[in-house]
Structure formats: structure tokens, C-alpha cells
Amino acid sequence: MTQLSTHPWDDDHLKEECGVFGIYGIDEAAAHTVLGLHALQHRGQEAAGIVAFDGHRFNAHRELGHVADHFSSGKVVERLKGYASIGHVRYSTTGETILRNVQPLFADLEVGGFALAHNGNLTNAYALRRDLVRRGSLFQSTTDTEVITHLMAAAGRGDVVERLTEALLQIEGAYSLVALAEDMVIGVRDPLGVRPLLMGKLGSATILASETCALDIIGATYVRDLDPGEIVVIDHSGVRSIKPFPKRQHRFCIFEYIYFARPDSSLEGYSVYEARKRIGAELARENGVPADVIVPVPDSGVPAALGYAQEAGIPFELGIIRNHYVGRTFIEPTDHIRHLGVRLKHNANRAKVDGKRVVLVDDSIVRGTTSKKIVEMVRAAGAKEVHMRISSPPTTHSCFYGIDTPERSKLLAAQHNVAEMAKIIGVDSLAFISIDGLYRAMGQPRRDPDKPQYCDACFTGEYPTTLTDQTDNSPRQLSLLTENA
Ligand code: SF4
């Protein structure tokens, strides 16, 4: 789910845009959903929402902020009665946030109530929205996701699954959807399977979730990942699978393994932790450098740094310590304070870097601003040499499939070669894993037409779908309403 507007980039890491969870056939479905959303909180910290169905009514609660901020109260969960429920966490930005964009979105369709939660990004949402508005649709939000419910309403005939299918046949892009209709939870993965969505079981209840960590937290067992282009319908008669799209080559987002997903999750049958370690080992084989210590940039760089250190036979040390208690509400009032901000989150561990040749391992470089500050910090703590190794290829292109990336002109690797980047960041050497090395680490030959491939467009510019909205220059007046955040 993406807000259809530009928003400022507030950090130097890519941000996931949303996690989804759904459960059918259990008492206190909403309470289970709260736990699931807690496990998926890393996928979005801007807002959270839950809609439950109790056999008669839909009960919803949507708020800006963290799950713990709004769903810890017994009163809230008590009100969300039902045996079926879906939930959503949304990414964080410093941009304007409005409650009407918080998911799950809800619509009263001719076929009954329908709640929808989306992870991903539609690449033809503007074009579809313009057409729908011309035909009389009144949009309530500025998200791409709402296009789906309007297309369902405009379908004019069919049951809820048929209408949803008709809507999906018109949209392009990346989407893992979890929807709640009367007595039914529906899960959908786009035809390329870009974003994750998997199924689990807890007794007789069926669960849908973005990652396996959301199954673990409620004690559910993993059943399988949904296939690309699969719709699953879960109701009192069981689980039904529909595959209405022509078969396409699987293009799962490789960045889920590198950075976004939690390391204790498994996606598509691969442990994220093991994938990161293998990528780190491949990085060491490709780009080794004499050093005394391997230091991860916390937290996401840790498994790759471990893999690197084990492969290189160099000690692994926590040479940078992260402060976990920095509130997300920290406001940076002046440039001076903003510059100090990195020390709020990280501090160099002098005992482990002083006088050493240090290899810093991180997962990506976006703008380079955080990397530069971390290198300065490690040097100030006495490091003799600082080398940086990155467990992804250079991020040269923006993502249009649900990851919050800055425009190309703001991506350091789109503007500079590796030698220039090393100079800007202030390291003695800089190297990235190659795209072929990344595929090797994942045990997959690259661009094999007979094998599933990954989406790697942010490194290669090879987008696996059309990008209709990117080539459309028509004015985009989305909303005249400003709302309190
Ligand atoms: Fe993932 Fe990059 Fe593809 Fe976006 S462009 S889906 S981040 S691999």
C-alpha cells in the first residue's frame, strides 16, 4: 500500500511498506491479529489497523502509531469481536499522515462489507483512479489500494470473489492482499509473487501473514507460501484456491532477504537469517580485504557480517552498539542536532575498534548519509583503517513495488561510481556484492527462463512489470483535504 503522493525521505535506509495478517475460525480473532501485527511491526511503524467480523457486523479500529500504542488496551480488543479478522501495519515517514489512509480500508459494496489490507504498490493506480473518478467514483483515501474496492464496485455483477478477481485483472504491480468479507477471509498474491504472503494453521483456524514470525508468535504452524497469482478463499467450508492469471515467472523481491524481513522468518522456504549469512560469505569471497575485525552495522547487517567473518576467518565483534530506546518521535530541530542524531541511534565500541583495521558490513547504501556518519564515528573511536562491505549490489534505481525509496537522483549509487562513493563516505575501501554473487548466494542461476527468478530492479533497472504511472505526466490532484495527523 502506498500513499499516492511524494513524501520526504527521513533516513538512510529503505523502508518496507506494510505487513498484513488475517485469521479465520477462532475466538478472539482480533487478539490473535494484534499479536501477529506486533511480530510484523518492523514492516511499518506509521499506523496500524484491525477489522474483525462477528457474524453480523464488522468491527474496526485504526490508529496512527505503533501497535503497542493503540492495541494493548483490553477495551479496544474487546470491542473488536469476531471469529475472523484482518490487520495491517503501515510504514513510517516524516510526511503527512492521515487517518483515512490507514488500513484495512473498508467499503460497503453491493455484495456486503469488504475490508482490505495491502502490502505492495500498484503501478497503474493513478491511471485507473482517473478513469474511475470520471465514471463517478468518490475516493475517500489517497492510497493506491482504494482503486481495488472501486473496481469491485464498478464490476456491477458477481459475488465478492468474482468482483475481486475482475478488479485484480485490471491492476498492475506488486500486491499481497488480505481481505475480510462477510464470513470469509481472502488472501491474494500478485502474478509475479513480488511481496510475501503465506498460510498457517492453529487448530482449526487458518492464518495468512506476511512472514512466518507472525505465525510463531501465536503458536501457529506454517503450511505454505501462497503461489504467485493465487487467490485463497477461507470460509466455513475450508480453504479454496483460485488461479485466474496466466502463469508468469516468479519474481520475489530479493531485498526481503537482504534487509526487510525479520531474520527469524522463513520466506519461500528459505530462512532469512541463513540467506543473509550466505550473502555475507559470498561478499567475503568476492571482496575480501586484510583486516583485524568484522563489525556489523546494526541491526540488519549482523547475519551478513557473521557470514563474512566466518568465511574470511576474521573475528566478528560488535564494534557499533545500537541504542534500542530511541523514540521514533525524536525531532531534529537544527542541522547541528540532526548531525548528532546518528549518535543517538549508534555508538562506536572503542574497546573493539581502537587501533584496528575494521571491515564494516551493512546491507545497503541509499543516500550515504548514515554510512558517512558511522564511518566518522568508527574513525573517531580509533580505527586504523575502515573498509565497508555491502551485502547488496549498488542501489541504482527506485522501487515501484512497495518499498519506500527516494527518487533516483537521491540515490548515491545512481550518481556516483564505487570509487567516488568510497571517497564521499570516507572509507579506505568500499565494495558491494555483485548481482551474480547475490544469485549465487541464493543458489539460483540468474535469468534462467526455466527457474523462478527474483525482482532485482533496484540494482538492475530491469522492472518485471509495466510502470504505467511512471510514464504518465498528467496532473495528479488527489485531494484538497488536509487532516490532522
Ligand atoms: Fe524488491 Fe528492489 Fe524489486 Fe523493490 S525493486 S521489489 S526493493 S528487489
Side-chain angles (χ1 to χ4, degrees), residues 11 38 57 120 131 153 180 191 240 280 372 400 424 460 479:
D11 202 348
H38 268 291
R57 292 191 65 80
D131 193 41
L180 179 69
R240 179 159 58 100
K372 188 169 186 278
F400 301 109
I424 292 166
T460 60
S479 176

Side-chain angles (χ1 to χ4, degrees), residues 185-207:
V185 167
I186 304 166
V188 185
R189 233 176 141 194
D190 69 68
L192 299 174
V194 175
R195 302 255 74 86
L197 189 62
L198 44 91
M199 199 192 304
K201 270 276 177 207
L202 179 63
S204 58
T206 304
I207 298 112

Side-chain angles (χ1 to χ4, degrees), residues 14 174 194-195 251-256 260 395 397-403 405 454-459 462-464:
L14 300 175
V194 175
R195 302 255 74 86
R251 299 298 290 272
F252 185 58
C253 167
I254 203 162
F255 232 130
E256 291 277 355
F260 302 129
T395 305
H397 291 74
S398 302
C399 174
F400 301 109
Y401 303 126
I403 304 305
T405 38
Y454 292 103
C455 175
D456 50 36
C458 45
F459 314 126
E462 295 167 23
Y463 294 97

Side-chain angles (χ1 to χ4, degrees), residues 80-94:
L80 293 169
K81 289 191 186 3
Y83 58 88
S85 163
I86 64 168
H88 187 262
V89 285
R90 192 187 149 154
Y91 74 96
S92 160
T93 77
T94 55

Side-chain angles (χ1 to χ4, degrees), residues 10-11 15 41 44-48 63-71 90-95 97 322-332 344-345 485:
D10 69 336
D11 202 348
K15 291 199 172 152
Q41 186 76 85
Q45 296 97 50
E46 183 185 81
E63 291 274 6
L64 304 177
H66 285 196
V67 179
D69 295 342
H70 301 290
F71 291 90
R90 192 187 149 154
Y91 74 96
S92 160
T93 77
T94 55
T97 303
R322 180 172 161 204
N323 178 1
H324 288 269
Y325 303 100
V326 181
R328 73 200 144 79
T329 51
F330 177 68
I331 295 162
E332 298 157 338
L344 198 78
K345 282 192 196 155

Side-chain angles (χ1 to χ4, degrees), residues 249-296:
Q249 196 178 36
H250 193 169
R251 299 298 290 272
F252 185 58
C253 167
I254 203 162
F255 232 130
E256 291 277 355
Y257 289 115
I258 295 166
Y259 171 63
F260 302 129
R262 250 171 65 160
D264 53 337
S265 283
S266 287
L267 300 173
E268 305 281 332
Y270 285 98
S271 149
V272 173
Y273 183 84
E274 285 304 326
R276 283 182 196 164
K277 277 186 75 179
R278 285 202 308 270
I279 293 168
E282 184 65 32
L283 181 61
R285 282 192 288 275
E286 279 191 343
N287 295 295
V289 59
D292 303 309
V293 63
I294 308 300
V295 170

